[in-house]
Amino acid sequence: MPLRIVYVSTLEPHLTEADIAGLVEKAAAFNKAHGVTGLLAIEGRRVCQILEGPDDAVEALFRSIRKDARHSGVTEIVQAPIEATTFQDWGMVRRPMIDMVMAAFALQ
């Protein structure tokens, strides 16, 4: 059964927009290879992300994010098994924070 994890974190202040773009690009490729989809929103240094996919892949990815020195204050908001992924047609995309809020309400 697929798993959904939603978390928030704060990016370290030394990261540039180019660093973030590179991180997003690498993450999208990794996630695609492991069947992980979701939604990523970054506003300033604040991050909110929905991860969905095979439970072992999502759990491993989230453990990696918790250990990543580029993130601080990683806080899990939701971890729940789901019947099906919501973002399978998107892969892993970056959207404005307001889109994240709207997606969160739609998942309820």
Side-chain angles (χ1 to χ4, degrees):
M1 179 170 284
L3 178 68
R4 175 182 296 135
I5 293 180
V6 181
Y7 76 91
V8 295
S9 70
T10 302
L11 293 174
E12 291 302 307
H14 68 274
L15 292 174
T16 66
E17 185 57 38
D19 293 332
I20 294 168
L23 174 66
V24 170
E25 185 177 326
K26 276 182 69 174
F30 175 89
N31 293 348
K32 184 176 182 177
H34 292 89
V36 176
T37 63
L39 181 62
L40 170 67
I42 301 173
E43 186 172 287
R45 293 180 37 230
R46 296 293 296 161
V47 173
C48 185
Q49 186 167 26
I50 301 171
L51 301 169
E52 296 182 339
D55 58 353
D56 56 340
V58 171
E59 287 173 348
L61 178 55
F62 188 59
R63 280 193 304 273
S64 174
I65 291 167
R66 282 186 180 273
K67 294 177 185 176
D68 189 330
R70 296 170 291 194
H71 290 267
S72 63
V74 177
T75 304
E76 184 179 293
I77 298 172
V78 172
Q79 182 174 142
I82 54 177
E83 292 295 321
T85 60
T86 304
F87 306 100
Q88 63 273 8
D89 295 332
W90 293 11
M92 178 61 68
V93 296
R94 183 174 176 185
R95 297 282 194 247
M97 197 63 76
I98 189 65
D99 288 355
M100 177 65 75
V101 172
M102 291 169 40
F105 279 109
L107 295 174
Q108 305 259 343

